[in-house]
Amino acid sequence: MKIILKGASAQITEKKSRFIASVKSVRTPEEADDFILRTKKQYWDARHNCSAMILGERGEFSRCSDDSEPAGSAGRPMLAVLSGEELTDVCVVVTRYFGGVLLGTGGLARAYSGAVQEALRACVTGERTDGFRLRVRAGYNDAGRIRYLLEQKHFPVTDISYADMVEIETLADAQSLASLKAAITEKTNGKAAFSAEESVRWAMTKDGPVLL
């Protein structure tokens, strides 16, 4: 699933009503509740501060609130946007400043979901992966072979250091770790050594992996 690496806010206007969506990465319901409370305090003069959250390894926990809007017109449409983007560990609050024109249940649903979509476009997201940080120690000739192998198999090189030997660091998900080590061993005729192996979590972005 994807997570929020950098939250954002965005605003849309629908028939003179302003909808301000604020998105944040959260890990627990308590963090989400704190974010909702702080957002309500920030926009204390608004008529509504509707919210939605999805949490858990596979997004198994979710909750939403219409905050006195008509039932099903705000929280559930907002939640549907988060779910459709396959996000987890995320909370969004949409603040509404009433513009004097009634939108109806359908209009409200479109406005609240539209505000969330606009804010998500401004966020930085990444696909979350659990796996291992692997450090490989090899001679200079074998280091070139290892880097080529990693590139061909789409494993990122996250660090590299040069001394009497070369140490290369990469990330591998749990399903790929054993086969990657076997491929490196074969490529170097058993001369490469695995100097460290550590459980880590990261998110892949367009600029590369970000450790969490």
Side-chain angles (χ1 to χ4, degrees):
M1 297 189 72
K2 292 188 296 185
I3 59 172
I4 299 294
L5 298 175
K6 184 179 180 181
S9 297
Q11 176 179 301
I12 66 171
T13 302
E14 185 68 31
K15 293 183 179 179
K16 299 183 180 180
S17 282
R18 286 195 298 138
F19 295 83
I20 306 167
S22 305
V23 180
K24 189 178 189 303
S25 172
V26 293
R27 290 290 186 90
T28 64
E30 292 75 20
E31 282 187 34
D33 290 339
D34 180 66
F35 173 59
I36 294 168
L37 181 60
R38 286 189 285 110
T39 305
K40 286 183 175 182
K41 287 181 178 179
Q42 180 181 356
Y43 299 109
W44 59 271
D45 55 341
R47 178 171 291 192
H48 307 283
N49 284 281
C50 304
S51 60
M53 68 181 78
I54 297 180
L55 302 166
E57 292 295 318
R58 302 186 182 278
E60 60 270 20
F61 176 84
S62 63
R63 193 170 75 201
C64 62
S65 168
D66 294 313
D67 195 32
S68 77
E69 289 281 32
S73 67
R76 288 197 176 278
M78 293 162 59
L79 193 62
V81 174
L82 299 180
S83 178
E85 292 293 329
E86 297 184 332
L87 285 162
T88 192
D89 291 348
V90 59
C91 182
V92 59
V93 180
V94 177
T95 302
R96 181 191 181 192
Y97 284 94
F98 182 56
V101 180
L102 296 176
L103 300 181
T105 301
L108 285 171
R110 287 189 294 273
Y112 276 102
S113 60
V116 177
Q117 290 168 345
E118 193 68 23
L120 289 178
R121 278 192 280 270
C123 292
V124 178
T125 63
E127 186 174 345
R128 189 184 65 193
T129 303
D130 290 303
F132 296 88
R133 175 162 47 192
L134 183 69
R135 290 191 72 87
V136 187
R137 185 175 171 85
Y140 278 72
N141 289 336
D142 285 329
R145 297 186 182 95
I146 293 168
R147 294 195 65 178
Y148 180 77
L149 174 68
L150 295 176
E151 181 181 342
Q152 291 297 106
K153 293 182 175 293
H154 306 292
F155 290 98
V157 174
T158 52
D159 189 36
I160 187 164
S161 60
Y162 299 92
D164 57 324
M165 302 283 281
V166 182
E167 278 205 338
I168 302 170
E169 181 183 278
T170 188
L171 301 172
D173 61 75
Q175 292 75 25
S176 304
L177 181 65
S179 61
L180 174 61
K181 291 172 71 174
I184 291 173
T185 299
E186 180 182 356
K187 199 72 163 177
T188 62
N189 293 318
K191 290 184 288 184
F194 303 102
S195 57
E197 185 178 309
E198 175 190 2
S199 296
V200 292
R201 170 177 285 179
W202 69 90
M204 287 301 300
T205 72
K206 59 183 179 62
D207 298 318
V210 176
L211 291 175
L212 303 175

